[in-house]
RNA sequence: GUGGACGUAGCUCAGUUGGUUAGAGUCCCAGAUUGUGAUUCUGGUUGUCGUGGGUUCGAGUCCCAUCGUCCACCCCA
């Protein structure tokens, strides 16, 4: 035991009990994305470290202390991706699919951040994200947000609240940021340690402080929405109208600030109070400056990412059922000749009945032992092939969970019974 | 990175003020029923007590370190 190798901290194994629900969610995500005309991209897990420094921001926690970075053999610094947007923009510039085009893209995959693990926060975690480019107006912002709402509907998730805000254009945001720093600097001695640090890293974040002592100070601070430029204000107002028009409920949260440097104008989060401290299930916004910042031609962009682990946790607390993956049938084989005949019988049945999940006994065992395994497998039906059946050219059929008599039938009629079982079940 | 709680069979957990050979349930295997599961009965396997040090005649129990899990801060999906 002392020599046992454990998984890396914060990196979890997903076992068969969980993968059913994961596949269900993945299927729904794909269907909704594709239903909105979004197309899938699969991007590398590793990028040059420089990409993340330039996109996420030098002084963010992610870049400063949470990246898994290492030196490649050619001495270049590489990093496991901490988020998906940067790589997507990089790929867009590299393959020229942003220039004068309006792609809508989605992806699903693992991200890596070296944080202290906690409920809903892991070092390897999975995000499903969408990114769209080349569209300036609030209509695409609204479509994207409405699409996320459609996801929750399709998945049957409830209790998520949509919060939206506008950070303004890059220029407006910087101007406001300076005003805010100026304001808080006057009261620096009253700030707590965290907020004094935020003064340098992300002053907008101070507005979101959980410290009750700062409440009155924060309330006296300059208001972000009052410092919006005209263009951003109009954009935000039109977005709110569009959301209302398609029946997506939202609340404006003036303190909503995303941690990544590249956001502009629209930002939004879907939050829940059912997951403890990590209540943000999905978040995103507009990032009109990033493509240019990374060397492409100026291109507006909007996107969001949702945390798979958090979404799955929410589904679990709300009692979502895992996708059915128990076998319909367990094939019992006793004796050498039955074992020989079993493989092709199993193949025949699987070929004749689409969707059939047939589990064939392997590893021998008495009738009793095999029936035990059949029961444990969860199968509805046990098929029995022994010397007796082989002689008659039949297969025994026993219903493990229904009150129906056991019978012996030729293969063709067994197939009909199984077809019935498949269509009754899932 | 900071603070707190916790690590005992595969799983869920007991284990007294430190005292012989560490327990229960469950799971698994076999038998009762030589071709029939889930119920019942009988028997059986399962552990470097997270790891490494220390205190002690003696440590699952006390102390230190370390690894891990969980919760919160911070941060974020």
């Amino acid at each position: 035991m002392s020599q046992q190798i454990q998984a890396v901290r914060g990196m979890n194994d997903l076992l068969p009990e969980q993968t059913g629900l994961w596949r269900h969610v993945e299927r729904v995500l794909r269907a909704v994305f594709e239903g909105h005309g979004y197309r899938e991209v699969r991007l590398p897990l590793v990028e040059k470290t420089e990409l993340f420094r330039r996109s996420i921001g030098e002084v963010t926690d992610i870049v400063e202390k949470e990246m898994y970075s290492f030196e490649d053999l050619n001495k270049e610094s590489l990093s496991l991706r901490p988020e998906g947007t940067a790589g997507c923009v990089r790929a867009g510039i590299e393959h020229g699919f942003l220039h004068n085009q309006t792609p809508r893209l989605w992806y699903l995959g693992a991200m890596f951040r070296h944080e202290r693990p906690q409920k809903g926060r892991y070092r390897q975690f999975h995000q499903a994200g969408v990114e769209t480019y080349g569209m300036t107006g609030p209509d695409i912002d609204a479509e994207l947000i409405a699409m996320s709402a459609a996801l929750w509907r399709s998945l049957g998730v409830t209790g998520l609240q949509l919060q939206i805000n506008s950070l303004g254009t890059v220029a407006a945001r910087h101007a406001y940021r300076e005003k805010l720093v100026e304001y808080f600097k006057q009261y620096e001695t009253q700030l707590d340690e965290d907020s004094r640090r935020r003064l340098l890293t992300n002053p907008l974040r101070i507005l979101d402080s959980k410290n009750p002592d700062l409440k009155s100070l924060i309330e006296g601070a300059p208001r972000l929405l009052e410092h919006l430029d005209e263009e951003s204000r109009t954009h935000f107002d039109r977005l709110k109208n569009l959301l209302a028009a398609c029946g997506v409920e939202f609340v404006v949260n003036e303190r909503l600030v995303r941690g990544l440097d590249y956001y502009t104008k629209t930002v939004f989060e879907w939050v829940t109070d059912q997951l403890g401290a990590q209540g943000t299930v999905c978040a995103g916004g507009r990032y009109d400056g990033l493509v240019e910042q990374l060397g492409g031609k100026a291109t507006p962009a909007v996107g969001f990412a949702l945390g798979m682990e958090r979404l799955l946790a929410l589904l679990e607390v709300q009692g979502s059922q895992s996708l059915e993956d128990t076998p319909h049938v367990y094939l019992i084989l006793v004796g050498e000749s039955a074992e020989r005949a079993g493989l092709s019988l199993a193949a025949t049945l699987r070929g004749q009945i689409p969707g059939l999940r047939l589990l064939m006994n392997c590893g021998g065992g008495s009738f009793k032992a095999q029936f035990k395994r059949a029961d444990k497998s969860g199968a509805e039906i046990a098929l029995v092939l022994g010397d007796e059946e082989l002689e008659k050219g039949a297969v025994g059929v026993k219903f493990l969970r229904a009150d129906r008599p056991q019978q012996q039938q030729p293969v063709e009629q067994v197939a009909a019974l199984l077809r019935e079982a498949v269509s009754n079940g899932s």
Side-chain angles (χ1 to χ4, degrees), chain A residues 131-205:
Chain A
E131 315 286 354
T132 74
Y133 301 93
M135 291 167 277
T136 317
D139 49 352
I140 184 65
D141 303 25
E143 180 195 81
L144 211 109
I145 291 171
M147 181 167 74
S148 58
L151 287 174
W152 319 143
R153 266 199 308 281
S154 301
L155 288 166
V157 188
T158 55
L160 281 171
Q161 185 194 51
L162 172 63
Q163 302 188 347
I164 62 173
N165 194 20
S166 176
L167 300 178
T169 57
V170 177
R173 182 181 174 178
H174 274 90
Y176 173 69
R177 182 186 162 124
E178 265 168 44
K179 272 218 162 113
L180 203 61
V181 171
E182 198 180 304
Y183 169 81
F184 281 120
K185 274 252 167 88
Q186 300 172 59
Y187 307 99
E188 196 164 348
T189 51
Q190 293 176 41
L191 291 176
D192 57 23
E193 198 186 328
D194 280 331
S195 290
R196 248 173 278 150
R197 182 173 45 76
R198 288 175 181 130
L199 219 40
L200 302 169
T201 57
N202 192 350
L204 307 212
R205 193 96 229 168

Side-chain angles (χ1 to χ4, degrees), chain A residues 1-62:
Chain A
M1 286 300 266
S2 62
Q3 300 302 312
Q4 183 181 319
I5 297 176
Q6 296 176 296
V8 175
R9 181 172 208 193
M11 306 209 179
N12 302 120
D13 302 309
L14 283 175
L15 303 180
E17 290 69 36
Q18 306 159 280
T19 50
L21 193 54
W22 274 75
R23 285 211 314 280
H24 168 65
V25 171
E26 286 162 7
R27 213 171 280 186
V28 171
L29 292 178
R30 173 184 292 267
V32 172
F33 293 153
E34 289 179 353
H36 287 73
Y38 286 64
R39 303 174 74 202
E40 184 182 9
V41 283
R42 300 193 185 191
L43 303 168
L45 272 66
V46 178
E47 297 275 1
K48 295 181 184 174
T49 302
E50 181 65 13
L51 174 66
F52 301 119
R53 306 188 76 91
R54 276 169 57 186
S55 58
I56 297 168
E58 291 279 356
V59 293
T60 56
D61 278 14
I62 292 178

Side-chain angles (χ1 to χ4, degrees), chain A residues 98-117:
Chain A
L98 303 183
H99 190 67
N100 282 340
Q101 294 178 69
T102 54
R104 288 168 162 87
L105 307 169
W106 70 273
Y107 56 83
L108 172 63
M111 308 291 164
F112 302 84
R113 289 182 202 170
H114 191 106
E115 299 180 273
R116 186 98 162 229

Side-chain angles (χ1 to χ4, degrees), chain A residues 275-332:
Chain A
L275 293 181
Q278 311 299 326
T280 303
V281 173
C282 173
R286 183 164 275 278
Y287 50 100
D288 289 343
L290 183 60
V291 177
E292 188 173 26
Q293 192 180 317
L294 289 178
K297 196 182 155 202
T299 305
V302 214
F304 69 72
L306 69 86
M308 290 292 284
E309 282 80 1
R310 291 181 187 176
L311 180 57
L312 269 287
L314 190 56
L315 282 165
E316 265 160 32
V317 303
Q318 296 184 356
S320 239
Q321 292 299 309
S322 173
L323 202 64
E324 194 58 61
D325 62 354
T326 55
H328 300 107
V329 186
Y330 191 97
L331 177 55
I332 291 172

